[in-house]
Amino acid sequence: MSEEMDTSVDFNASELLIHEDSRGVVTATLNRPEKRNAFSLNILLRLYSLFVELEQTPSCQCLILRGACDTFCSGMDLHEALYGLSTPRATVQELGLDASVISCLGEDYATAPSGLIMPALVQRVMSMSISSRFPVVGVADGNARGGGVGLLCACDYVVASERFCGGLTETRLGFMPSLLLPFLRRKLTACGLQSASLSGSVFSARDAQRFGLAHRVVPSDLTPTAVDNVVGNFVLNHSGATSYFKSEMSRTLLPPEQEQIDALRTHWESWNSADGREGVMAFLEKRVAKFLLSNRAQVQEAGDVDATEPPQEPDAPQQQ
């Protein structure tokens, strides 16, 4: 497989490790352990490129998505989304994001900021996973937050280790939890989605299974064997029959383009709001957002939390 596509963004191949075995099973490993495997623009572009290439590679029988160093993905790299370089319009058009971006920026844009391009690419990669002709297997090991949970949601089969810890924490960051919602509400149970999004708290592997995110939960040391068993069954199937089944399922699981655009626009508007920026800055600076202080003070009076400390999570990720 080729290592790059023709865009103005340089690829760092080490951030997404790709391996193909003799069965035609491709494994893509998110490899930013120092950032909890958060989505950079580079990783999202490489994932996009990978799906484009595999769709045109008949020998590909299955794609496995996993994270390096016992973490799946902590979502978008908020620092890069906030401070990253803008993307030229030509690149946006090449990626097929023009309609989405125009709806948010207007017709006369020359470049698009990372804070818009990165979430637009998250949606595009999820859509490509759902509509691909080959099965996509997610390995939910360690932490997953925000877009990482979204990517698992776009997989056809998810094996979760018992140490998996997921979270949909946008509501705590001050911007609307709209970006992933068109996908999540088509896959997760309503009860599970309400629990995860409204609480903003983390959930376990067993919760993920009850919510409809994970298909199987196994002990951590048995995760590789479980994944290999699942993939072994998939590669025995007729590729045409698999492609037909996925095409039919995409009618249910793939949100219409306009719904995705509307969700992206809502995300972009709230990202640029005063509370949205305050929430992101507070997260990056590891402090409590100003709009949460009064809420936390009220809870402190009840003796439940220390309002002077940021919210804590087990092995809390550095991104969302």
Side-chain angles (χ1 to χ4, degrees):
M1 294 179 293
S2 65
E3 284 298 317
E4 58 184 351
M5 63 182 292
D6 184 22
T7 74
S8 60
V9 178
D10 292 331
F11 283 112
N12 179 354
S14 66
E15 288 192 348
L16 187 72
L17 305 179
I18 301 171
H19 174 265
E20 183 174 9
D21 68 18
S22 59
R23 301 172 297 173
V25 176
V26 177
T27 300
T29 303
L30 306 181
N31 187 42
R32 296 183 78 207
E34 75 285 357
K35 296 288 189 179
R36 309 291 176 94
N37 299 328
F39 288 136
S40 62
L41 179 58
N42 173 60
I43 281 184
L44 291 168
L45 286 170
R46 282 184 57 78
L47 282 170
Y48 173 88
S49 176
L50 179 65
F51 274 105
V52 169
E53 185 169 355
L54 294 183
E55 201 64 30
Q56 302 168 359
T57 305
S59 63
C60 176
Q61 299 297 310
C62 182
L63 173 64
I64 300 172
L65 296 175
R66 67 192 324 145
C69 298
D70 304 327
T71 294
F72 182 68
C73 174
S74 56
M76 277 195 303
D77 185 328
L78 293 183
H79 186 275
E80 183 173 342
L82 191 61
Y83 298 113
L85 297 176
S86 295
T87 302
R89 179 165 185 155
T91 302
V92 176
Q93 291 174 322
E94 182 181 350
L95 295 172
L97 302 175
D98 216 31
S100 299
V101 174
I102 286 175
S103 73
C104 296
L105 292 180
E107 292 281 353
D108 298 325
Y109 73 93
T111 61
S114 294
L116 176 57
I117 292 301
M118 290 170 67
L121 275 170
V122 169
Q123 286 188 333
R124 182 53 51 90
V125 168
M126 291 175 65
S127 295
M128 296 175 81
S129 179
I130 292 170
S131 61
S132 65
R133 61 168 184 79
F134 46 83
V136 181
V137 177
V139 184
D141 192 19
N143 286 309
R145 300 290 188 272
V149 173
L151 186 58
L152 288 171
C153 186
C155 293
D156 300 296
Y157 197 99
V158 173
V159 177
S161 76
E162 290 180 339
R163 64 185 170 192
F164 173 73
C165 181
L168 295 170
T169 55
E170 290 90 341
T171 50
R172 293 193 180 183
L173 291 174
F175 51 87
M176 301 302 105
S178 62
L179 183 69
L180 307 175
L181 192 56
F183 299 89
L184 297 177
R185 65 183 171 207
R186 285 171 167 79
K187 184 71 173 284
L188 306 186
T189 65
C191 182
L193 182 54
Q194 289 169 320
S195 174
S197 291
L198 291 178
S199 71
S201 59
V202 298
F203 54 88
S204 68
R206 293 297 176 186
D207 290 331
Q209 190 172 37
R210 290 190 294 106
F211 295 168
L213 178 65
H215 297 76
R216 186 178 178 187
V217 176
V218 297
S220 299
D221 59 335
L222 297 181
T223 303
T225 300
V227 171
D228 194 59
N229 289 339
V230 170
V231 172
N233 285 327
F234 286 167
V235 299
L236 294 176
N237 294 334
H238 185 276
S239 59
T242 296
S243 178
Y244 170 81
F245 176 79
K246 287 212 57 178
S247 176
E248 290 299 303
M249 284 299 294
S250 70
R251 297 173 183 266
T252 299
L253 298 176
L254 185 63
E257 182 178 6
Q258 188 58 52
E259 185 178 345
Q260 294 186 47
I261 291 175
D262 291 343
L264 178 64
R265 184 187 302 112
T266 299
H267 170 86
W268 178 240
E269 291 172 352
S270 64
W271 171 267
N272 286 297
S273 69
D275 282 349
R277 286 306 170 96
E278 165 61 16
V280 171
M281 291 303 300
F283 184 85
L284 294 176
E285 295 170 1
K286 303 185 187 306
R287 59 176 174 81
V288 178
K290 295 175 183 177
F291 57 80
L292 291 178
L293 286 174
S294 60
N295 292 347
R296 292 179 62 78
Q298 292 174 9
V299 177
Q300 185 189 30
E301 290 178 3
D304 293 332
V305 298
D306 180 356
T308 64
E309 295 295 330
Q312 298 295 312
E313 296 177 352
D315 196 19
Q318 301 305 307
Q319 327 294 321
Q320 286 295 328

